Amino acid sequence: MSTAPIVRMNIITGTIMLDDFLIRAILAGLGLVLATGALGCFVVWRRMAYFGDSTAHAAILGVALSLAFSMPIYLGTLGIALGMALAVAYLTARGQPMDTVLGVLAHSALALGLVAASFVPSMRTGLDAYLFGDILAVTRTDLIWIWGGAAVIAGLLIWRWQRLVTASVNEELAMAAGIDPARERLILSLALALVVAIAIRLVGALLISAMLIVPAATARGFAQTPEQMAGSATLIGAVAVLGGLSASLWLDSPAGPSIVAVSAVIYAVSLVVYRR
């Protein structure tokens, strides 16, 4: 049975009505890009792509534990993602190489998550939904979690914006201005953990980093200021969500990967336009 969205035509009025689950998918996607647009800029500036990947992979363990103990998926995922962020901050502060710490923790947590998933019957048959996302299956409760988390992330970034930008541009300059770069890095890590928790149901653990990186990388070639880049990345992410859901409708393709594919196409087009 096809999982593609359904659009119903009202023959009498000649108008097109979207099914409820497609509307929820659109709202969920827009809520996600509200968080990933600006946050993705910091991921690009600080070259934290591997951190996002590692946190997303570790989140599978949170999903398995949530299902095993009948907890909300978002709470279990958030707990593991926050634990990952704090563990990385603790170990790197004590001289451990960042890439090594991320590799060890991410692969260990992913392996534990897959082992735990094998003991959870409901997850054993639906693991693809958490690896690649299932944005078409979001509920009204999911929307509350997604928009609530996105609002927290957006508020946090607005509150710390100048400090985060300064620490991202030059840590020595930040220290001279009385800003602690380690604290700002930890704040970004916690924000990334939260976005992983709200995004895993939408685009899956394997595609979360793409939603953070690709729109921001696309906006980087055209923006003149950090604020312009954040706004452009959010707009590009929104276009990718709408385009990806439309592609899923007409091609009967998976919605999450379709969204990422559209964002990749936009990035490729931007390279051609920027070069000209």
Side-chain angles (χ1 to χ4, degrees):
M1 180 178 177
S2 172
T3 58
I6 300 174
V7 180
R8 293 177 284 124
M9 174 71 75
N10 187 320
I11 299 178
I12 297 178
T13 63
T15 59
I16 295 178
M17 298 180 296
L18 300 179
D19 277 346
D20 287 344
F21 73 93
L22 180 55
I23 294 176
R24 291 196 298 270
I26 293 173
L27 291 176
L30 295 179
L32 175 63
V33 300
L34 177 65
T36 58
L39 188 59
C41 295
F42 290 104
V43 171
V44 170
W45 293 332
R46 286 179 167 268
R47 300 180 182 178
M48 295 177 68
Y50 191 33
F51 180 89
D53 267 334
S54 301
T55 306
H57 293 167
I60 293 295
L61 176 58
V63 173
L65 293 177
S66 298
L67 294 177
F69 293 101
S70 300
M71 297 188 306
I73 296 294
Y74 297 106
L75 289 181
T77 306
L78 179 59
I80 294 298
L82 289 176
M84 176 81 173
L86 293 174
V88 170
Y90 176 82
L91 293 174
T92 53
R94 278 149 182 78
Q96 296 294 321
M98 171 74 80
D99 57 344
T100 302
V101 170
L102 288 174
V104 171
L105 292 180
H107 292 97
S108 299
L110 178 59
L112 289 173
L114 294 176
V115 170
S118 67
F119 295 100
V120 183
S122 60
M123 188 175 180
R124 191 184 309 165
T125 57
L127 187 59
D128 287 352
Y130 300 103
L131 292 176
F132 301 104
D134 192 5
I135 192 173
L136 299 178
V138 297
T139 64
R140 289 181 174 83
T141 302
D142 292 328
L143 287 178
I144 295 174
W145 281 99
I146 292 165
W147 278 91
V152 170
I153 294 171
L156 179 64
L157 293 181
I158 292 173
W159 174 44
R160 308 289 298 185
W161 180 260
Q162 196 57 53
R163 290 174 173 268
L164 289 170
V165 170
T166 303
S168 299
V169 172
N170 191 313
E171 291 195 352
E172 293 182 356
L173 177 63
M175 294 177 65
I179 300 172
D180 184 0
R183 185 190 339 176
E184 306 308 317
R185 194 182 309 116
L186 177 60
I187 290 173
L188 282 178
S189 299
L190 297 178
L192 278 171
L194 182 55
V195 84
V196 165
I198 66 174
I200 195 167
R201 284 287 299 272
L202 306 185
V203 293
L206 300 182
L207 302 176
I208 291 173
S209 288
M211 287 303 295
L212 285 165
I213 298 170
V214 180
T218 305
R220 189 175 192 175
F222 301 95
Q224 301 297 320
T225 65
E227 292 77 14
Q228 287 183 7
M229 181 172 169
S232 300
T234 303
L235 180 60
I236 292 168
V239 172
V241 166
L242 297 176
L245 289 175
S246 298
S248 176
L249 166 65
W250 298 113
L251 302 177
D252 195 15
S253 57
S258 297
I259 292 172
V260 176
V262 169
S263 67
V265 170
I266 296 173
Y267 174 71
V269 172
S270 74
L271 293 180
V272 176
V273 174
Y274 182 71
R275 179 172 295 180
R276 290 181 177 178

